[in-house]
Amino acid sequence: MEIIIHPTVKEASEEAARLIAKHISNKPDAVIGLATGSTPLPLYRALIEMKLDWSHVTTFNLDEYIGLPREHPQTYHSFMWENLFRHTNIKAENVNIPDGNAAAIPAHCAEYEKRILVAGGIDIQVLGIGSDGHIGFNEPTSSLASRTRIKTLTKQTIEDNARFFGSTEEVPKHVITMGIGTIMDARQNILLAFGQNKAKAIAGAVEGPITAVNPASALQMHAVTKVFLDDAAAGELERANYFRWVHDNKPDWQKI
Ligand code: PGA
């Protein structure tokens, strides 16, 4: 894992955006995995400002709530169109988001995995992290080899996400999420975490043991993972100063 710590969310998000922009300019038909939640919003704003050519890009989102009508403002379908896609020239047919209203969920999940393979696999997967260490909606104790499937959210995640809904009762309990095995198959992962309420999960994921209790810790086994943090999210890392020192001393050819 490469840990990149910036004083502000803006700087961290802009560096992550430059990495994605560079990839899309080198490979116009890139396959990009995307995430939702508050964390990637500054990244998406930075990408929009760069006015990239998305016309050949294919995207796969990590997850979706089960049972909300597709046009509900809190579906990840609505989130992605509102916060990124409608500001770009991406083709609707190149956008892939799990269908939370699929009639047969296991078959839909298997088909989603197949679509990722047919697209050539994910080049760069963007990830957030839950305060409990989840990536995608792979809650603690998810199999580290899991594939796209239905999951039941923890009460903590429901409470964390209630801010987007009127109340905890309105947050769906079930979701479709790429598995940890699916995420591990991406050629590169970019994990973003900002704010002090992510500091414990990040310390566990980066410096703790690899354990299904902190699903993000599986990324220690991924060869190309960059973790972009602000100072607050890095607050519980014992080696924070080492990570800053590494970043400040990069050879020019390695700089993003
Ligand atoms: P957040 O969610 O970005 O809204 O904090 C992250 C996550 O749950 O993965």
Side-chain angles (χ1 to χ4, degrees):
M1 278 181 173
E2 182 180 353
I3 316 301
I4 298 166
I5 305 169
H6 282 284
T8 66
V9 172
K10 189 167 186 284
E11 286 161 283
S13 302
E14 285 174 357
E15 186 167 338
R18 285 200 298 280
L19 193 149
I20 294 172
K22 203 166 161 181
H23 188 81
I24 293 178
S25 92
N26 289 339
K27 186 182 176 195
D29 61 347
V31 180
I32 308 289
L34 296 170
T36 51
S38 310
T39 307
L41 287 172
L43 166 72
Y44 295 158
R45 278 196 290 273
L47 288 171
I48 291 163
E49 274 172 27
M50 289 170 169
K51 299 196 187 309
L52 306 173
D53 180 8
W54 292 78
S55 61
H56 299 287
V57 172
T58 296
T59 64
F60 284 91
N61 263 79
L62 284 167
D63 45 19
E64 179 61 285
Y65 290 116
I66 289 180
L68 292 182
R70 182 187 254 231
E71 307 310 329
H72 185 289
Q74 294 308 330
T75 61
Y76 291 162
H77 174 91
S78 299
F79 177 101
M80 288 311 303
W81 281 97
E82 179 61 27
N83 293 299
L84 180 63
F85 297 145
R86 76 181 177 88
H87 307 281
T88 71
N89 63 343
I90 197 161
K91 295 194 178 108
E93 64 264 33
N94 291 342
V95 168
N96 297 277
I97 303 173
D99 179 0
N101 294 295
I105 288 172
H108 175 65
C109 294
E111 201 259 333
Y112 199 71
E113 289 275 334
K114 203 166 143 199
R115 260 193 269 162
I116 295 173
L117 284 180
V118 169
I122 293 170
D123 291 311
I124 299 182
Q125 175 67 54
V126 176
L127 299 167
I129 185 170
S131 59
D132 59 4
H134 71 221
I135 47 175
F137 269 135
N138 295 282
E139 297 285 31
T141 73
S142 288
S143 161
L144 300 185
S146 50
R147 311 303 307 189
T148 303
R149 71 212 182 290
I150 184 171
K151 283 294 288 181
T152 306
L153 298 180
T154 60
K155 286 190 175 161
Q156 183 176 339
T157 299
I158 290 173
E159 280 163 23
D160 285 350
N161 288 1
R163 68 188 193 280
F164 298 115
F165 293 81
S167 64
T168 46
E169 288 70 45
E170 288 169 60
V171 183
K173 294 184 183 66
H174 296 110
V175 295
I176 294 173
T177 181
M178 281 188 202
I180 299 174
T182 323
I183 292 167
M184 294 294 283
D185 284 349
R187 284 184 273 279
Q188 178 166 184
N189 278 293
I190 293 181
L191 173 66
L192 306 166
F194 305 129
Q196 194 241 327
N197 73 325
K198 300 293 173 69
K200 192 161 172 277
I202 283 294
V206 173
E207 296 180 330
I210 296 173
T211 168
V213 174
N214 182 327
S217 67
L219 295 167
Q220 293 177 31
M221 292 292 291
H222 190 277
V224 195
T225 291
K226 289 185 170 57
V227 180
F228 290 89
L229 306 173
D230 67 349
D231 281 339
E236 293 195 28
L237 287 172
E238 276 178 30
R239 293 160 190 79
N241 284 337
Y242 168 65
F243 299 135
R244 290 189 180 96
W245 189 80
V246 171
H247 191 253
D248 290 345
N249 289 285
K250 287 253 165 209
D252 280 344
W253 62 267
Q254 261 196 336
K255 290 186 179 150
I256 301 168

